[in-house]
Amino acid sequence: MPESPPLLTIVLEETGLLDRESAMYRRLIAARLRLESHFAVRHMEEPLTTARIAGLCAEIQSKYVIFMRTSHLISANYVATLFEYLRTRTVYLAEPVMYTGAIAKNVAGTPIDDTYQYSRDTDVFGIAFNTKRLGDALEALKDVDRSAIYISYRLYWSIAKVRPLTTGFSVASDTKAATGLPIPSEVQRLVPLIPFHSKEIRLQLLRYVALFLRGIRGQKATSISLSHLRDVIRDFQLIELVGMVEQLQPFEAAWIRWLDDSLVSRQLYKQLSHKDAYLVFNGKHEERTGTSLHLYELLFQDDILTIEKQYLERRLRPGNARPGSYNFYNRPIGPYSTILFFDRPQQADDNAEHLYEYFTIEHPEFGNAYFAISPKSPDWPRLEAKGFKLVPIFTKEFYEMFLVSDLVVSSQIYSIRYRGKSFANSRFVYLQHGIQLNDMSDWVLSKYFDVFVATGRMEADYMGRLAPVETLNSGLPRYESLTRANEGQRHLLFMPTWRFNLHQSSTERFAQSGYFRAIDSFLSDSALLSFLADTDRVLHVKLHPNVEKRAGQFRFSERIVHSGLSYREAIRSAELVITDYSSAALDAAFIGIPIAYYHWDAADFFRDQPYESRLDYLDDGLGPVFSDQAGIVDHIIHERFAAEDVTYTRRRERFFEGVEPQRINEKIVERMLGL
């Protein structure tokens, strides 16, 4: 008697060897103890495309199929829950509660509301499809991208509502929200235009459109036409839901409004004190305005779309004089004003803390200046002892204070909205955490701010092409009090950044990565260790926060230590700072500490990152660049860093041009009080 096919096939998309030590894979294998005869695991080394999935549906004998990667996360009961649901039913699909980050401990408590439907990932991963029905649908949907299969499948079979099972699945990444969806150039439609008015589907489709638009800003060209985009937006009445887009993709929200009504080419983007910022969308037959700032020129099939930025007087704002429309800019900033400062929720000691301390000392007449931070942060008692007026961040008290504030000042950008107020219609000074060395134009243009604090001519010129009215070349507030330590034992400092493609790697996969091998080999270099011992030096290693949990895998020693110092103390007391690409090393360069770059993976680094570098390290870097371990070790053990190199001195002066170290905070305060 022939063996019956399994109920379920799990297809693992993984180039190369499977990461068999990943949490997801181990849970799949553990499920085999009870269900081995009922499900199969199939490894696909090539990327899953729509055509490949259609082919798999013809090959696979199981009733249901699930696609996933070993970097994804699943609840412990994921396989068992799906099996128990599917074994007695014939359905089009079954799905878990979907996440992009960590899976909630109480999956059943996750609210399945509009916010969930809009923010959930809608790729094919994690969902149990009826194999035969998926194959049938793909005969008609073979021209859509894989990322649109889930939405298109529900449209095709008119699946209006899906109740998630009580188990969780996570793609363990939300980089799409930052970088958008890269749709292959041959794809000519996003989804089929099948009339359907399910709000679930419309919310998911709205996010898909927003992510496509975000992605095309980077891709520059697509075979999808503007007319098709307009049909999608109008046929599914997405404009009714566009408020969901504004919170995280405001640029795309303006774009969707223009696509819905192309007669209104100028879309209000950000209110400012004196002039407001608008996005202007121009088709190929429309004249460009000479006073606009050119942002993008994009090709949609045969149509060229230009997107520009324009600053217009506040009095020209639509609805500016409408009765009952509250203007958060009407009240000038004065001693009575509430001003809200904050860094990260769990960590201060960044630019907002330094500016707050300066501001409250130099301007004691402002009695309503507050600093927001989590009461659970280890910095809370320290700041309290310094006399900071603290407010618990992201609490009811915080939001009420935000509502009445005249100004918010922060080193972080969060999407804060409360009772009609947001950074789109109120004053916000963005201090930044560091200096932008990468081309983050698309990210910058997606954010609201009245002042963008730049450091040096290079960054200010770059920002001036994106936000000339808002850019201030003052320098970071923490730089004003940053000085080089003159006493005590000095050390060398190594500060590698992290790699996006290793975020969910297992311990074994991480240990096999080029990133780990390069760093661990450097830390255990015999010549380096001998030099440190002979000269009585210590090399401190500051791992990136995303790598800290893996610190135990590196070979630290008596002379090479996992540093417990703060970044500030580690940098200011260093003789030399070594990094790969971390902008934190610029703090050292600012106070004259020599830096060196160790680029062991220069050929691959930016290929795997969401952004490209603006800095040519060989021609403009603030220290020498080494591509191999022998070179960086030789530079250290021969103490070449100890002799001043006029080349890097000149580059440093040019890089930080325009920053007056003793007037950084003064300049920022002068600008912010004038908003």
Side-chain angles (χ1 to χ4, degrees):
M1 183 174 178
E3 187 175 325
S4 61
L7 176 71
L8 176 67
T9 297
I10 295 176
V11 177
L12 290 175
E13 179 198 49
E14 189 89 11
T15 56
L17 296 174
L18 281 174
D19 188 354
R20 297 178 186 274
E21 293 192 4
S22 71
M24 189 278 289
Y25 188 82
R26 287 185 285 111
R27 284 184 170 171
L28 287 184
I29 299 306
R32 281 185 166 178
L33 287 173
R34 189 162 63 91
L35 304 171
E36 186 163 10
S37 63
H38 300 289
F39 83 92
V41 176
R42 181 165 179 169
H43 176 203
M44 297 300 300
E45 293 191 41
E46 63 267 33
L48 286 172
T49 62
T50 300
R52 190 70 193 100
I53 289 174
L56 285 169
C57 289
E59 298 171 15
I60 290 172
Q61 298 300 307
S62 62
K63 189 174 182 179
Y64 297 99
V65 61
I66 299 176
F67 306 97
M68 58 176 67
R69 296 169 178 162
T70 57
S71 60
H72 296 159
L73 303 174
I74 58 175
S75 295
N77 68 342
Y78 174 83
V79 175
T81 300
L82 284 169
F83 174 77
E84 287 300 320
Y85 180 79
L86 295 171
R87 70 186 180 90
T88 59
R89 295 174 173 85
T90 297
V91 294
Y92 284 100
L93 58 79
E95 65 182 56
V97 179
M98 307 294 290
Y99 301 90
T100 54
I103 296 174
K105 291 181 180 179
N106 179 20
V107 172
T110 300
I112 310 301
D113 53 14
D114 287 356
T115 299
Y116 168 84
Q117 298 296 349
Y118 178 77
S119 60
R120 59 155 291 177
D121 190 83
T122 55
D123 211 322
V124 293
F125 300 113
I127 294 128
F129 291 95
N130 184 300
T131 309
K132 182 68 168 63
R133 298 290 80 79
L134 180 59
D136 291 342
L138 289 180
E139 289 183 11
L141 304 172
K142 56 189 173 184
D143 60 336
V144 302
D145 183 54
R146 185 206 70 203
S147 60
I149 286 177
Y150 170 78
I151 294 175
S152 300
Y153 180 81
R154 287 187 60 176
L155 287 172
Y156 188 83
W157 294 116
S158 301
I159 305 171
K161 197 170 184 64
V162 176
R163 182 178 179 181
L165 304 178
T166 311
T167 189
F169 177 91
S170 176
V171 292
S173 171
D174 197 22
T175 55
K176 289 179 187 175
T179 61
L181 275 171
I183 303 295
S185 59
E186 65 272 14
V187 174
Q188 295 189 16
R189 65 171 178 165
L190 290 183
V191 293
L193 297 175
I194 299 173
F196 204 52
H197 297 290
S198 160
K199 191 176 183 183
E200 270 188 25
I201 294 294
R202 291 167 63 216
L203 285 165
Q204 294 167 8
L205 180 55
L206 177 66
R207 180 176 187 264
Y208 190 77
V209 170
L211 293 180
F212 165 72
L213 294 175
R214 174 64 182 83
I216 202 62
R217 288 201 271 151
Q219 284 183 277
K220 310 302 183 191
T222 178
S223 295
I224 293 170
S225 67
L226 287 173
S227 61
H228 173 66
L229 279 173
R230 291 190 179 103
D231 289 342
V232 170
I233 290 166
R234 292 167 181 170
D235 287 6
F236 293 98
Q237 300 174 351
L238 299 185
I239 197 66
E240 296 177 359
L241 307 171
V242 75
M244 299 292 293
V245 185
E246 286 180 319
Q247 296 185 36
L248 295 177
Q249 292 104 5
F251 193 104
E252 283 65 41
W255 200 339
I256 290 170
R257 285 196 174 92
W258 172 74
L259 285 165
D260 182 69
D261 184 0
S262 301
L263 295 177
V264 185
S265 62
R266 184 185 295 125
Q267 299 287 328
L268 176 64
Y269 186 68
K270 168 75 175 102
Q271 295 181 25
L272 298 169
S273 296
H274 307 293
K275 289 186 176 183
D276 294 330
Y278 291 79
L279 295 178
V280 183
F281 298 86
N282 291 322
K284 64 178 180 180
H285 300 302
E286 300 171 15
E287 243 182 76
R288 286 182 57 183
T289 54
T291 58
S292 298
L293 187 72
H294 181 71
L295 300 179
Y296 297 101
E297 185 168 284
L298 309 173
L299 179 63
F300 286 83
Q301 208 171 80
D302 297 324
D303 294 327
I304 295 175
L305 172 67
T306 62
I307 306 178
E308 302 167 334
K309 190 175 186 179
Q310 204 173 53
Y311 296 96
L312 297 176
E313 295 292 337
R314 194 173 69 178
R315 60 183 175 80
L316 300 176
R317 182 191 311 155
N320 180 56
R322 186 171 63 241
S325 177
Y326 188 80
N327 191 327
F328 291 101
Y329 287 87
N330 275 345
R331 186 168 64 177
I333 299 173
Y336 48 79
S337 295
T338 296
I339 303 179
L340 191 57
F341 294 75
F342 56 87
D343 287 316
R344 290 187 175 92
Q346 293 292 334
Q347 183 180 7
D349 196 25
D350 205 342
N351 291 310
E353 177 187 334
H354 288 274
L355 186 63
Y356 177 90
E357 188 163 20
Y358 170 88
F359 181 71
T360 53
I361 291 173
E362 296 297 324
H363 294 274
E365 70 276 15
F366 283 81
N368 296 317
Y370 295 88
F371 192 90
I373 192 170
S374 169
K376 295 181 180 179
S377 167
D379 287 321
W380 180 285
R382 178 180 64 81
L383 299 177
E384 195 171 39
K386 291 174 71 172
F388 280 35
K389 291 183 177 180
L390 300 178
V391 58
I393 198 166
F394 301 145
T395 60
K396 178 72 170 178
E397 181 184 359
F398 171 86
Y399 287 110
E400 289 293 338
M401 189 169 290
F402 166 69
L403 184 64
V404 301
S405 67
D406 288 325
L407 176 64
V408 176
V409 183
S410 178
S411 61
Q412 310 296 316
I413 290 188
Y414 298 116
S415 179
I416 300 175
R417 291 172 176 267
Y418 186 65
R419 296 176 62 181
K421 184 179 183 181
S422 70
F423 292 147
N425 60 14
S426 63
R427 301 179 184 98
F428 174 60
V429 174
Y430 180 41
L431 302 175
Q432 291 204 87
H433 164 66
I435 300 171
Q436 295 198 19
L437 296 179
N438 299 330
D439 185 359
M440 298 180 67
S441 303
D442 297 337
W443 182 88
V444 168
L445 291 169
S446 299
K447 302 301 178 183
Y448 297 128
F449 45 79
D450 293 70
V451 176
F452 186 106
V453 170
T455 301
R457 182 57 52 202
M458 178 181 173
E459 186 180 31
D461 286 349
Y462 158 68
M463 280 302 304
R465 293 191 289 271
L466 306 174
V469 171
E470 301 93 328
T471 300
L472 173 65
N473 182 17
S474 61
L476 301 174
R478 68 174 183 265
Y479 281 3
E480 186 164 322
S481 58
L482 183 64
T483 57
R484 193 170 183 175
N486 295 317
E487 298 178 1
Q489 186 176 12
R490 298 164 73 86
H491 57 257
L492 308 182
L493 177 61
F494 179 41
M495 297 193 305
T497 190
W498 70 304
R499 303 296 185 269
F500 280 85
N501 59 352
L502 295 176
H503 187 53
Q504 290 296 334
S505 295
S506 67
T507 298
E508 180 62 24
R509 176 61 62 88
F510 181 76
Q512 294 171 356
S513 68
Y515 175 80
F516 171 80
R517 291 200 303 267
I519 293 176
D520 196 55
S521 177
F522 173 61
L523 300 185
S524 57
D525 187 281
S526 58
L528 176 60
L529 288 167
S530 296
F531 165 77
L532 294 172
D534 292 344
T535 59
D536 193 26
R537 283 184 169 96
V538 173
L539 174 65
H540 280 245
V541 181
K542 289 292 291 184
L543 296 173
H544 189 280
N546 290 335
V547 186
E548 275 293 338
K549 65 181 180 181
R550 305 185 188 273
Q553 293 184 248
F554 294 97
R555 287 182 283 179
F556 295 113
S557 60
E558 181 183 359
R559 291 291 169 181
I560 298 183
V561 301
H562 181 208
S563 183
L565 297 174
S566 68
Y567 275 96
R568 189 177 183 84
E569 285 305 312
I571 289 171
R572 66 185 299 267
S573 55
E575 289 183 83
L576 167 70
V577 173
I578 307 145
T579 188
D580 47 359
Y581 302 95
S582 174
S583 64
L586 296 174
D587 289 29
F590 186 76
I591 55 176
I593 294 173
I595 65 176
Y597 302 100
Y598 179 23
H599 290 177
W600 65 83
D601 59 351
D604 302 324
F605 178 75
F606 286 103
R607 184 184 62 196
D608 296 326
Q609 302 297 101
Y611 305 109
E612 295 181 1
S613 177
R614 290 189 302 108
L615 182 70
D616 186 320
Y617 287 88
L618 290 173
D619 293 337
D620 301 309
L622 306 188
V625 179
F626 302 95
S627 59
D628 56 51
Q629 183 174 314
I632 185 65
V633 170
D634 184 73
H635 180 71
I636 294 170
I637 66 177
H638 289 96
E639 300 189 49
R640 295 195 176 93
F641 59 86
E644 182 177 356
D645 190 318
V646 66
T647 298
Y648 302 118
T649 300
R650 288 172 179 166
R651 288 185 188 179
R652 186 170 63 246
E653 290 171 352
R654 185 169 67 247
F655 187 93
F656 293 109
E657 182 184 344
V659 177
E660 300 177 66
Q662 302 309 314
R663 294 193 61 233
I664 292 175
N665 290 310
E666 179 186 340
K667 283 184 174 181
I668 298 172
V669 169
E670 180 182 333
R671 178 70 169 270
M672 75 187 207
L673 294 184
L675 291 175

